[in-house]
Amino acid sequence: MVRDADPGLSRTLRSPRLTGLLGVALAVAFTTCFVTGLISHLIQRPPDWFWWPSRPVGLYRVTQGLHVATGLASVPLLGAKLWSVYPRLFAWPPARDLAHAIERAAVAALVAAALFQLISGILNIARWYAPMPFFFTAGHYWSAWLAIGALITHVGVKLPIIRQALTRATPDLAQPGALTRRGLLGTVGAAAGVITLATIGQTVAPLAPVAVLAPRRPGTGPQRLPVNRTAAGAGVRDAAFDPGYRLTVTGPARTVSLDLAELAALPQHTVVLPIACVEGWSSTGTWSGVRLRDLVALVGADPENAEAYVESLEARGRYRATTVPPPHLRDPYTLIALRLGGEVLHPDHGYPARLIAPNRPGVLQTKWVARITARITA
Ligand SMILES: Nc1nc2c(c(=O)[nH]1)N[C@H]1C(S)=C(S)[C@@H](COP(=O)(O)O)O[C@H]1N2
Ligand SMILES: [Mo]
């Protein structure tokens, strides 16, 4: 027998059907979040079999926007789901038999992993790393596998109950004047809606004015673009403004070192592309500069079959270098940008030169580029 703190409320509201409906919403949100997160992970650490195109230019903006939005919307859903079953989470004795023990262990793992996912994700968006004594990306990634594994186990174990709860409508037995199941689901849905509306404007520009909970919004910051890491923060101010600055490009045939005048004398191109940060914000800019494929051709690599290792003036830091894979290197939209919105790049946006490529996470759009090494891949 389950003891309950508030039998009046819970006898009417808590039911397998309520838990089942919340569970379906949560499973959809979590699965979307998992798949989009996995895509983001694979783009950043591509195994040999993985291939990510350079078009459509804003695809990553959509997948990562969904990742963060579904994660945030899961907060009220998970809260309500836990509320709907919590007397049973503390049921005594802890296990009736071995099967029950395994089932409960899977639930414990699922709850722990899900909470860990949501909390670490939110801390990362808020850029509050102090409570995370581990590298966020690794912790968030590995616990995602734990969460999805536990979720699949949980759904498998509960399938008969889920099926019954979802096919057989049980009466909505509220006392007169009390909260009904429909009312509760409406409230949870509204909470998820408000959270989405208050944050989605970080990537859906027309909703930016109502994105009151978004740490970064499109159209804000120097040159109307949010800044991730500043030039001062990266310790590159002196190197960026050094008159001796050269962009060094190395390829199979030769190495060239180009000063700013020489870079400006090469054919210039303008593209409209977003920075789409893994943290869920994105903002479109109008970038001008030299095509990466032109630079690579200059040092004797065939741009159709090459990749480029792009390094920053930034001496240390996890995001000081990146590899541009063949689809992006080939793409005429991929630039070493010198200008943003018609002006010389702001120092915080990567002056004197930064990488901007279509359909790539912001974290791979290297700022303050100093060196490019082209390698033949075919
Ligand atoms: N060298 C270097 N480039 C970098 C970073 C960095 O830390 N160092 N941060 C990246 C991240 S996480 C993002 S989202 C984009 C943001 O570009 P912005 O600051 O011009 O908007 O820059 C990327 N380029
Ligand atoms: Mo980022």
Side-chain angles (χ1 to χ4, degrees):
M1 186 54 206
V2 172
R3 280 187 297 126
D4 208 309
D6 185 354
L9 179 67
S10 58
R11 192 174 303 142
T12 53
L13 259 181
R14 287 201 179 94
S15 67
R17 188 161 168 86
L18 175 69
T19 303
L21 289 170
L22 288 167
V24 169
L26 204 50
V28 170
F30 246 76
T31 305
T32 309
C33 201
F34 177 76
V35 171
T36 50
L38 193 58
I39 289 172
S40 184
H41 178 88
L42 289 170
I43 300 170
Q44 292 173 66
R45 288 167 202 74
D48 287 339
W49 55 266
F50 184 74
W51 175 86
W52 181 249
S54 64
R55 305 287 178 100
V57 300
L59 181 60
Y60 181 79
R61 175 184 225 178
V62 174
T63 62
Q64 195 60 13
L66 267 175
H67 178 72
V68 174
T70 50
L72 290 173
S74 296
V75 172
L77 294 176
L78 183 63
K81 180 112 179 0
L82 289 177
W83 176 84
S84 78
V85 293
Y86 94 86
R88 303 218 278 135
L89 293 178
F90 303 104
W92 206 259
R96 290 187 302 269
D97 51 40
L98 187 62
H100 187 224
I102 294 169
E103 184 188 325
R104 293 203 67 189
V107 169
L110 178 55
V111 172
L115 287 174
F116 182 83
Q117 290 283 283
L118 296 184
I119 293 168
S120 63
I122 289 167
L123 288 174
N124 185 57
I125 295 172
R127 305 186 149 228
W128 188 26
Y129 298 105
M132 291 193 280
F134 51 87
F135 175 40
F136 164 76
T137 310
H140 198 66
Y141 175 70
W142 290 110
S143 63
W145 283 106
L146 183 60
I148 204 79
L151 179 63
I152 292 168
T153 309
H154 180 66
V155 170
V157 167
K158 300 284 186 191
L159 207 54
I161 303 175
I162 296 171
R163 194 173 294 147
Q164 202 178 46
L166 295 181
T167 51
R168 207 176 302 156
T170 45
D172 196 345
L173 294 167
Q175 314 286 342
L179 186 64
T180 60
R181 181 166 64 222
R182 183 170 301 222
L184 181 92
L185 288 170
T187 307
V188 174
V194 166
I195 289 175
T196 304
L197 202 61
T199 49
I200 197 74
Q202 66 183 332
T203 183
V204 179
L207 292 174
V210 292
V212 290
L213 292 180
R216 271 148 231 256
R217 286 186 273 169
T220 60
Q223 297 175 326
R224 300 174 40 79
L225 185 80
V227 169
N228 169 267
R229 191 167 170 78
T230 63
V236 298
R237 279 201 75 99
D238 291 347
F241 288 105
D242 184 344
Y245 169 84
R246 298 285 182 278
L247 174 65
T248 304
V249 189
T250 300
R254 62 191 76 86
T255 292
V256 297
S257 281
L258 304 161
D259 65 21
L260 284 176
E262 289 165 327
L263 277 170
L266 291 171
Q268 302 292 303
H269 298 272
T270 297
V271 298
V272 177
L273 288 178
I275 294 276
C277 182
V278 293
E279 287 151 29
W281 63 267
S282 77
S283 192
T284 303
T286 304
W287 310 88
S288 307
V290 183
R291 280 182 179 153
L292 182 58
R293 53 175 297 143
D294 291 353
L295 288 170
V296 161
L298 212 58
V299 292
D302 174 7
E304 293 304 316
N305 297 300
E307 61 180 25
Y309 186 62
V310 176
E311 290 170 86
S312 174
L313 291 168
E314 195 182 353
R316 268 172 289 279
R318 247 176 232 285
Y319 310 121
R320 63 166 301 279
T322 167
T323 296
V324 180
H328 298 77
L329 189 145
R330 213 178 283 142
D331 196 305
Y333 282 9
T334 299
L335 302 184
I336 294 299
L338 309 170
R339 306 178 80 84
L340 171 54
E343 302 164 8
V344 167
L345 281 176
H346 187 279
D348 292 343
H349 288 309
Y351 177 86
R354 70 104 40 94
L355 176 68
I356 183 80
N359 197 26
R360 249 165 99 78
V363 65
L364 305 182
Q365 312 277 33
T366 311
K367 303 197 273 194
W368 317 291
V369 172
R371 181 180 290 276
I372 298 169
T373 309
R375 287 188 289 248
I376 305 293
T377 53

